[in-house]
Short mmCIF file of all heavy atoms in Angstrom, two decimals:
data_model
loop_
_atom_site.label_atom_id
_atom_site.label_comp_id
_atom_site.label_asym_id
_atom_site.label_seq_id
_atom_site.Cartn_x
_atom_site.Cartn_y
_atom_site.Cartn_z
N THR N 26 116.06 108.45 117.29
CA THR N 26 116.55 107.08 117.15
C THR N 26 115.70 106.31 116.16
O THR N 26 116.21 105.58 115.30
CB THR N 26 116.55 106.36 118.51
OG1 THR N 26 117.40 107.06 119.42
CG2 THR N 26 117.04 104.93 118.36
N LEU N 27 114.38 106.47 116.27
CA LEU N 27 113.48 105.77 115.35
C LEU N 27 113.65 106.29 113.92
O LEU N 27 113.50 105.52 112.97
CB LEU N 27 112.03 105.95 115.81
CG LEU N 27 111.69 105.29 117.15
CD1 LEU N 27 110.25 105.60 117.55
CD2 LEU N 27 111.91 103.78 117.10
N ALA N 28 113.97 107.57 113.78
CA ALA N 28 114.22 108.12 112.45
C ALA N 28 115.44 107.45 111.82
O ALA N 28 115.46 107.13 110.63
CB ALA N 28 114.41 109.63 112.52
N ARG N 29 116.48 107.23 112.63
CA ARG N 29 117.67 106.52 112.13
C ARG N 29 117.31 105.09 111.73
O ARG N 29 117.74 104.60 110.68
CB ARG N 29 118.76 106.47 113.21
CG ARG N 29 119.54 107.76 113.40
CD ARG N 29 120.63 107.53 114.44
NE ARG N 29 121.56 106.49 114.02
CZ ARG N 29 122.38 105.84 114.86
NH1 ARG N 29 122.34 106.11 116.15
NH2 ARG N 29 123.22 104.93 114.39
N LEU N 30 116.51 104.44 112.56
CA LEU N 30 116.11 103.07 112.26
C LEU N 30 115.28 102.99 110.99
O LEU N 30 115.34 101.99 110.25
CB LEU N 30 115.32 102.49 113.44
CG LEU N 30 116.15 102.02 114.64
CD1 LEU N 30 115.25 101.71 115.82
CD2 LEU N 30 116.96 100.79 114.26
N SER N 31 114.49 104.02 110.74
CA SER N 31 113.65 104.01 109.54
C SER N 31 114.47 103.97 108.26
O SER N 31 114.01 103.48 107.23
CB SER N 31 112.72 105.23 109.53
OG SER N 31 113.44 106.42 109.22
N ASN N 32 115.70 104.49 108.32
CA ASN N 32 116.57 104.45 107.14
C ASN N 32 116.97 103.02 106.79
O ASN N 32 117.25 102.72 105.64
CB ASN N 32 117.84 105.29 107.40
CG ASN N 32 117.53 106.77 107.48
OD1 ASN N 32 116.61 107.26 106.84
ND2 ASN N 32 118.30 107.49 108.28
N GLU N 33 117.01 102.15 107.80
CA GLU N 33 117.41 100.76 107.56
C GLU N 33 116.22 99.81 107.49
O GLU N 33 116.22 98.87 106.71
CB GLU N 33 118.34 100.30 108.69
CG GLU N 33 119.71 100.93 108.67
CD GLU N 33 120.67 100.23 109.62
OE1 GLU N 33 120.70 98.98 109.59
OE2 GLU N 33 121.37 100.91 110.37
N LEU N 34 115.22 100.07 108.32
CA LEU N 34 114.12 99.12 108.46
C LEU N 34 112.78 99.70 108.05
O LEU N 34 111.74 99.07 108.28
CB LEU N 34 114.03 98.63 109.91
CG LEU N 34 115.31 98.04 110.52
CD1 LEU N 34 115.08 97.72 112.00
CD2 LEU N 34 115.74 96.79 109.77
N GLY N 35 112.79 100.88 107.45
CA GLY N 35 111.54 101.60 107.18
C GLY N 35 110.49 100.80 106.44
O GLY N 35 109.30 100.89 106.75
N ASP N 36 110.91 100.00 105.46
CA ASP N 36 109.93 99.24 104.68
C ASP N 36 109.42 98.02 105.44
O ASP N 36 108.55 97.29 104.95
CB ASP N 36 110.51 98.81 103.32
CG ASP N 36 111.78 97.98 103.46
OD1 ASP N 36 112.29 97.85 104.58
OD2 ASP N 36 112.25 97.46 102.44
N GLY N 37 109.95 97.79 106.64
CA GLY N 37 109.48 96.67 107.45
C GLY N 37 108.75 97.12 108.72
O GLY N 37 108.43 96.30 109.56
N ILE N 38 108.51 98.43 108.83
CA ILE N 38 107.90 98.98 110.04
C ILE N 38 106.59 99.67 109.72
O ILE N 38 106.51 100.48 108.78
CB ILE N 38 108.85 99.98 110.72
CG1 ILE N 38 110.12 99.28 111.20
CG2 ILE N 38 108.16 100.66 111.90
CD1 ILE N 38 111.16 100.22 111.77
N ASP N 39 105.59 99.38 110.50
CA ASP N 39 104.32 100.10 110.44
C ASP N 39 104.29 101.01 111.67
O ASP N 39 103.99 100.58 112.77
CB ASP N 39 103.15 99.12 110.46
CG ASP N 39 101.80 99.81 110.30
OD1 ASP N 39 101.79 101.03 110.02
OD2 ASP N 39 100.76 99.16 110.46
N PHE N 40 104.63 102.29 111.46
CA PHE N 40 104.85 103.22 112.57
C PHE N 40 103.66 104.13 112.79
O PHE N 40 103.03 104.59 111.84
CB PHE N 40 106.09 104.08 112.31
CG PHE N 40 106.34 105.13 113.35
CD1 PHE N 40 106.82 104.79 114.60
CD2 PHE N 40 106.07 106.46 113.08
CE1 PHE N 40 107.04 105.76 115.57
CE2 PHE N 40 106.29 107.45 114.04
CZ PHE N 40 106.78 107.09 115.29
N ARG N 41 103.38 104.38 114.07
CA ARG N 41 102.32 105.34 114.43
C ARG N 41 102.70 106.02 115.73
O ARG N 41 103.15 105.39 116.68
CB ARG N 41 100.97 104.65 114.58
CG ARG N 41 99.84 105.61 114.98
CD ARG N 41 98.51 105.06 114.56
NE ARG N 41 98.37 105.03 113.11
CZ ARG N 41 97.97 106.06 112.37
NH1 ARG N 41 97.67 107.21 112.94
NH2 ARG N 41 97.87 105.94 111.06
N ILE N 42 102.50 107.34 115.74
CA ILE N 42 102.78 108.12 116.93
C ILE N 42 101.48 108.66 117.50
O ILE N 42 100.58 109.07 116.75
CB ILE N 42 103.76 109.29 116.63
CG1 ILE N 42 104.16 110.00 117.91
CG2 ILE N 42 103.18 110.26 115.62
CD1 ILE N 42 105.30 110.98 117.72
N SER N 43 101.35 108.60 118.81
CA SER N 43 100.22 109.19 119.53
C SER N 43 100.78 110.04 120.66
O SER N 43 101.89 109.80 121.14
CB SER N 43 99.29 108.10 120.09
OG SER N 43 98.72 107.34 119.06
N PHE N 44 99.99 111.02 121.09
CA PHE N 44 100.50 111.95 122.08
C PHE N 44 99.77 111.83 123.41
O PHE N 44 98.61 111.40 123.47
CB PHE N 44 100.44 113.38 121.54
CG PHE N 44 101.40 113.59 120.41
CD1 PHE N 44 100.96 113.65 119.10
CD2 PHE N 44 102.76 113.69 120.65
CE1 PHE N 44 101.85 113.81 118.05
CE2 PHE N 44 103.66 113.85 119.62
CZ PHE N 44 103.21 113.92 118.31
N ILE N 45 100.46 112.23 124.46
CA ILE N 45 99.96 112.12 125.82
C ILE N 45 99.47 113.48 126.29
O ILE N 45 100.23 114.46 126.27
CB ILE N 45 101.06 111.59 126.75
CG1 ILE N 45 101.51 110.19 126.28
CG2 ILE N 45 100.59 111.55 128.19
CD1 ILE N 45 102.76 109.68 126.99
N GLY N 46 98.22 113.53 126.70
CA GLY N 46 97.64 114.78 127.19
C GLY N 46 96.18 114.58 127.52
O GLY N 46 95.69 113.44 127.54
N ARG N 47 95.49 115.66 127.76
CA ARG N 47 94.06 115.59 128.10
C ARG N 47 93.27 116.52 127.20
O ARG N 47 93.72 117.62 126.86
CB ARG N 47 93.84 115.98 129.56
CG ARG N 47 94.40 114.99 130.56
CD ARG N 47 94.09 115.43 131.99
NE ARG N 47 94.59 114.46 132.96
CZ ARG N 47 93.91 113.39 133.36
NH1 ARG N 47 92.70 113.17 132.86
NH2 ARG N 47 94.42 112.56 134.25
N ALA N 48 92.09 116.06 126.82
CA ALA N 48 91.19 116.88 126.01
C ALA N 48 89.90 117.10 126.78
O ALA N 48 89.31 116.15 127.30
CB ALA N 48 90.90 116.19 124.68
N ALA N 49 89.47 118.36 126.86
CA ALA N 49 88.18 118.69 127.46
C ALA N 49 87.29 119.18 126.33
O ALA N 49 87.26 120.35 125.99
CB ALA N 49 88.34 119.76 128.54
N GLY N 50 86.62 118.24 125.66
CA GLY N 50 85.86 118.59 124.47
C GLY N 50 86.76 118.59 123.25
O GLY N 50 87.83 117.97 123.22
N GLN N 51 86.33 119.34 122.24
CA GLN N 51 87.07 119.37 120.97
C GLN N 51 88.01 120.55 120.83
O GLN N 51 88.77 120.63 119.86
CB GLN N 51 86.06 119.41 119.80
CG GLN N 51 85.19 118.16 119.69
CD GLN N 51 85.97 116.95 119.24
OE1 GLN N 51 86.86 117.03 118.41
NE2 GLN N 51 85.64 115.79 119.82
N ASN N 52 88.00 121.46 121.79
CA ASN N 52 88.78 122.68 121.63
C ASN N 52 89.66 123.03 122.82
O ASN N 52 90.41 124.00 122.76
CB ASN N 52 87.86 123.87 121.33
CG ASN N 52 87.12 123.72 120.01
OD1 ASN N 52 87.75 123.60 118.96
ND2 ASN N 52 85.80 123.71 120.06
N GLU N 53 89.58 122.30 123.90
CA GLU N 53 90.38 122.59 125.08
C GLU N 53 91.31 121.42 125.36
O GLU N 53 90.86 120.29 125.56
CB GLU N 53 89.49 122.87 126.29
CG GLU N 53 88.63 124.12 126.15
CD GLU N 53 87.81 124.38 127.40
OE1 GLU N 53 88.19 123.87 128.48
OE2 GLU N 53 86.81 125.10 127.30
N PHE N 54 92.61 121.71 125.38
CA PHE N 54 93.60 120.66 125.54
C PHE N 54 94.59 121.02 126.63
O PHE N 54 94.88 122.20 126.86
CB PHE N 54 94.35 120.43 124.22
CG PHE N 54 93.45 120.20 123.05
CD1 PHE N 54 93.25 121.19 122.10
CD2 PHE N 54 92.79 118.99 122.89
CE1 PHE N 54 92.42 120.98 121.01
CE2 PHE N 54 91.96 118.76 121.81
CZ PHE N 54 91.77 119.77 120.87
N GLN N 55 95.11 119.99 127.27
CA GLN N 55 96.14 120.18 128.29
C GLN N 55 97.31 119.25 127.99
O GLN N 55 97.12 118.07 127.67
CB GLN N 55 95.59 119.87 129.68
CG GLN N 55 94.51 120.82 130.15
CD GLN N 55 93.97 120.44 131.53
OE1 GLN N 55 94.29 119.38 132.05
NE2 GLN N 55 93.14 121.31 132.09
N SER N 56 98.51 119.81 128.07
CA SER N 56 99.72 119.02 127.86
C SER N 56 100.80 119.56 128.79
O SER N 56 100.79 120.75 129.13
CB SER N 56 100.18 119.12 126.41
OG SER N 56 101.19 118.16 126.13
N LEU N 57 101.69 118.69 129.23
CA LEU N 57 102.66 119.05 130.26
C LEU N 57 103.48 120.28 129.91
O LEU N 57 103.79 121.10 130.77
CB LEU N 57 103.59 117.86 130.51
CG LEU N 57 104.63 118.02 131.63
CD1 LEU N 57 103.93 118.22 132.97
CD2 LEU N 57 105.55 116.81 131.69
N HIS N 58 103.84 120.44 128.65
CA HIS N 58 104.71 121.54 128.23
C HIS N 58 103.94 122.69 127.58
O HIS N 58 104.52 123.50 126.86
CB HIS N 58 105.80 121.02 127.30
CG HIS N 58 106.65 119.95 127.91
ND1 HIS N 58 106.37 118.60 127.77
CD2 HIS N 58 107.76 120.02 128.70
CE1 HIS N 58 107.28 117.89 128.43
NE2 HIS N 58 108.13 118.73 128.99
N GLY N 59 102.65 122.76 127.83
CA GLY N 59 101.88 123.92 127.44
C GLY N 59 101.39 123.96 126.00
O GLY N 59 101.42 122.95 125.28
N GLN N 60 100.97 125.16 125.60
CA GLN N 60 100.35 125.34 124.28
C GLN N 60 101.31 125.04 123.14
O GLN N 60 100.90 124.51 122.09
CB GLN N 60 99.82 126.77 124.15
CG GLN N 60 99.03 127.04 122.88
CD GLN N 60 97.79 126.17 122.79
OE1 GLN N 60 97.06 126.03 123.77
NE2 GLN N 60 97.53 125.60 121.62
N ALA N 61 102.57 125.37 123.31
CA ALA N 61 103.55 125.11 122.25
C ALA N 61 103.62 123.62 121.94
O ALA N 61 103.76 123.22 120.78
CB ALA N 61 104.93 125.63 122.65
N GLU N 62 103.50 122.80 122.98
CA GLU N 62 103.52 121.34 122.77
C GLU N 62 102.25 120.87 122.09
O GLU N 62 102.29 120.01 121.20
CB GLU N 62 103.70 120.63 124.10
CG GLU N 62 103.82 119.12 123.96
CD GLU N 62 104.33 118.48 125.23
OE1 GLU N 62 103.57 118.46 126.24
OE2 GLU N 62 105.50 118.03 125.22
N ILE N 63 101.13 121.42 122.49
CA ILE N 63 99.86 121.06 121.85
C ILE N 63 99.91 121.37 120.36
O ILE N 63 99.50 120.56 119.52
CB ILE N 63 98.69 121.82 122.52
CG1 ILE N 63 98.49 121.30 123.95
CG2 ILE N 63 97.41 121.69 121.70
CD1 ILE N 63 97.54 122.13 124.77
N ASP N 64 100.45 122.53 120.03
CA ASP N 64 100.55 122.93 118.63
C ASP N 64 101.43 121.97 117.83
O ASP N 64 101.08 121.57 116.71
CB ASP N 64 101.10 124.35 118.52
CG ASP N 64 100.12 125.41 119.02
OD1 ASP N 64 98.93 125.09 119.17
OD2 ASP N 64 100.57 126.55 119.26
N GLU N 65 102.57 121.60 118.42
CA GLU N 65 103.48 120.70 117.69
C GLU N 65 102.91 119.29 117.61
O GLU N 65 103.10 118.59 116.62
CB GLU N 65 104.86 120.69 118.34
CG GLU N 65 105.90 119.84 117.61
CD GLU N 65 106.07 120.22 116.14
OE1 GLU N 65 105.77 121.37 115.76
OE2 GLU N 65 106.49 119.33 115.37
N ASP N 66 102.18 118.88 118.66
CA ASP N 66 101.47 117.59 118.58
C ASP N 66 100.57 117.56 117.35
O ASP N 66 100.58 116.60 116.57
CB ASP N 66 100.58 117.39 119.82
CG ASP N 66 101.36 117.09 121.09
OD1 ASP N 66 102.60 116.91 121.01
OD2 ASP N 66 100.73 117.04 122.16
N ILE N 67 99.81 118.62 117.18
CA ILE N 67 98.85 118.68 116.06
C ILE N 67 99.59 118.66 114.73
O ILE N 67 99.21 117.95 113.80
CB ILE N 67 97.95 119.92 116.17
CG1 ILE N 67 97.06 119.82 117.42
CG2 ILE N 67 97.08 120.07 114.92
CD1 ILE N 67 96.22 121.06 117.69
N ARG N 68 100.67 119.43 114.63
CA ARG N 68 101.40 119.47 113.36
C ARG N 68 101.96 118.10 113.01
O ARG N 68 101.88 117.66 111.85
CB ARG N 68 102.53 120.52 113.44
CG ARG N 68 102.05 121.95 113.30
CD ARG N 68 103.23 122.91 113.15
NE ARG N 68 103.98 123.04 114.39
CZ ARG N 68 103.77 123.98 115.30
NH1 ARG N 68 102.80 124.87 115.13
NH2 ARG N 68 104.52 124.05 116.39
N GLN N 69 102.52 117.41 113.99
CA GLN N 69 103.07 116.08 113.71
C GLN N 69 101.98 115.09 113.32
O GLN N 69 102.18 114.25 112.45
CB GLN N 69 103.86 115.58 114.92
CG GLN N 69 105.14 116.37 115.16
CD GLN N 69 106.01 115.80 116.26
OE1 GLN N 69 105.88 114.62 116.64
NE2 GLN N 69 106.92 116.60 116.78
N LEU N 70 100.82 115.20 113.94
CA LEU N 70 99.70 114.33 113.57
C LEU N 70 99.21 114.64 112.16
O LEU N 70 98.83 113.73 111.42
CB LEU N 70 98.56 114.50 114.58
CG LEU N 70 98.83 113.92 115.98
CD1 LEU N 70 97.75 114.37 116.95
CD2 LEU N 70 98.92 112.40 115.94
#
């Protein structure tokens, strides 16, 4: 939905995405949908 909105209002929006999960140090992460979600979180960031 936000991608659709960006086509109309993109130059008026300052967008930022953050992800929900837990980090135990710099190399151990937990996310509800497992490692595949952690990987995609990182790619999107």
Side-chain angles (χ1 to χ4, degrees):
T26 299
L27 295 177
R29 283 183 60 199
L30 281 170
S31 73
N32 291 330
E33 290 192 46
L34 306 175
D36 58 352
I38 296 175
D39 185 8
F40 176 74
R41 179 156 293 275
I42 187 170
S43 297
F44 292 104
I45 299 170
R47 292 182 178 274
Q51 296 290 322
N52 296 301
E53 295 182 22
F54 307 105
Q55 294 178 351
S56 192
L57 184 62
H58 301 92
Q60 186 61 45
E62 184 166 70
I63 292 169
D64 290 345
E65 183 55 24
D66 288 353
I67 295 175
R68 283 190 290 267
Q69 291 186 19
L70 290 170

